[in-house]
Amino acid sequence: MTVHPDVKEILLDEKTIARRVAELGAQISKDYAGKSLTALVVLKGSFVFAADLLRAIDVQTKVEFIGLRSYGSRTSTSGVVEITMDVKYPLNGHDVLIIEDIVDTGLTLDYLKNNLATRKPASIKLASLLHKPERGVKDMSIDYLGFTVPNEFVIGYGLDFDGRYRNLPYVGIMKTP
Ligand code: PRP
């Protein structure tokens, strides 16, 4: 595999990610058996993970999108979460599964969960590909977690720096400039 020159080290290669995503999909399918699920994909970062995870889930599923941003072109959170695109349909009464690429400080998820609660879903669960526990300022329980990662700036498989690198097929640590 060719490694992008801006990547210091590959943390999770394509096969490792695919194996774990299949396991998460199987677990979610088991837990929601007989129910219908509304997946809420948090754009932009989670679009790659969501595309793979959703195809590994075999219960009846609707897919909705919300755009949230707090990093902009920085490597640390601004602390202010903006809705860049809101959900287009009501979520009241739905079993909502939030799909995130990473829980870092937890501020984005905390904001989203509080916001969603006002929309009266039947339940809210969270699937996140990555968790960076060292940075957690909010205590977030992740129902379906792919991998724990160290406190490094990670890119690829949907995760960006300044809008770039989302298309890398692996998760890697970015070289510091
Ligand atoms: C990233 C990521 C999560 C959030 C996690 O989004 O997709 O939503 O940060 O960080 P936190 O736990 O510290 O809040 P970002 O603001 O970079 O927007 P993007 O998804 O459009 O890249």
Side-chain angles (χ1 to χ4, degrees):
M1 188 190 327
T2 338
V3 184
H4 192 287
D6 297 344
V7 170
K8 184 164 80 178
E9 181 192 332
I10 293 182
L11 270 185
L12 304 164
D13 63 25
E14 286 181 76
K15 278 193 182 148
T16 306
I17 296 172
R19 259 199 310 270
R20 187 71 189 121
V21 170
E23 286 171 3
L24 292 177
Q27 186 62 50
I28 292 166
S29 304
K30 207 170 137 201
D31 294 353
Y32 286 87
K35 291 189 179 178
S36 61
L37 178 65
T38 299
L40 182 60
V41 180
V42 184
L43 297 175
K44 291 177 184 174
S46 72
F47 77 102
V48 179
F49 173 47
D52 286 342
L53 181 65
L54 286 165
R55 285 177 292 172
I57 295 175
D58 66 3
V59 296
Q60 199 175 78
T61 301
K62 287 185 175 174
V63 185
E64 296 296 336
F65 298 91
I66 189 166
L68 296 178
R69 180 180 57 200
S70 62
Y71 282 72
S73 57
R74 311 146 53 124
T75 54
S76 62
T77 180
S78 66
V80 177
V81 182
E82 291 171 85
I83 297 187
T84 55
M85 189 193 86
D86 205 355
V87 187
K88 300 283 188 289
Y89 297 96
L91 294 172
N92 57 305
H94 289 240
D95 287 308
V96 173
L97 177 66
I98 299 168
I99 302 184
E100 259 290 19
D101 52 338
I102 186 164
V103 178
D104 191 330
T105 61
L107 290 174
T108 303
L109 248 307
D110 185 57
Y111 173 89
L112 178 60
K113 282 191 162 178
N114 288 331
N115 181 295
L116 284 184
T118 65
R119 306 179 196 219
K120 307 273 183 262
S123 66
I124 305 176
K125 280 192 174 190
L126 166 64
S128 181
L129 178 72
L130 307 177
H131 183 212
K132 218 187 254 185
E134 285 171 54
R135 297 233 312 163
V137 296
K138 292 280 176 185
D139 193 17
M140 268 306 136
S141 77
I142 302 173
D143 303 283
Y144 305 100
L145 172 64
F147 305 91
T148 296
V149 291
N151 189 13
E152 301 271 5
F153 198 83
V154 287
I155 51 174
Y157 198 72
L159 292 110
D160 74 310
F161 170 64
D162 201 13
R164 289 173 290 144
Y165 313 113
R166 295 195 199 273
N167 57 317
L168 298 178
Y170 49 81
V171 173
I173 299 175
M174 188 174 80
K175 278 183 190 163
T176 36

